[in-house]
Amino acid sequence: SLSRQRLVGTDSVAAAIAAYIALIPIAGYLITTPVFLGGVLLVSRAIRPVTAIVVAITVTAAIWVIFIWLLRLPIPLLPMSS
């Protein structure tokens, strides 16, 4: 049923968010973020695959500029960096 599909979708997104949070310190922001964003967009089929890739890269870059470059937050950029 439709409500079952929504529940499974919500659980999948929650699992993806948990994995994203757990993987940032290990894989780094620059790897984890575009993979997460692109994956969620591709799985949800919200937009075409090429657009999902462009959006994932663009949003990753925008977040990098705001939070890491401008605000200078200590987010690990690359695998195992601190």
Side-chain angles (χ1 to χ4, degrees):
S1 74
L2 186 55
S3 61
R4 171 93 172 123
Q5 288 175 333
R6 285 186 183 163
L7 182 60
V8 170
T10 302
D11 289 346
S12 298
V13 170
I17 292 170
Y20 172 73
I21 292 168
L23 287 173
I24 281 187
I26 298 164
Y29 170 81
L30 294 176
I31 294 171
T32 309
T33 301
V35 169
F36 167 75
L37 292 173
V40 169
L41 290 171
L42 289 171
V43 169
S44 70
R45 298 180 182 178
I47 54 180
R48 294 179 307 145
V50 172
T51 306
I53 293 167
V54 170
V55 167
I57 293 169
T58 303
V59 169
T60 299
I63 293 170
W64 177 81
V65 166
I66 294 167
F67 289 99
I68 298 166
W69 192 68
L70 290 175
L71 297 175
R72 302 192 186 278
L73 294 178
I75 299 171
L77 293 178
L78 299 170
M80 306 306 256
S81 67
S82 32

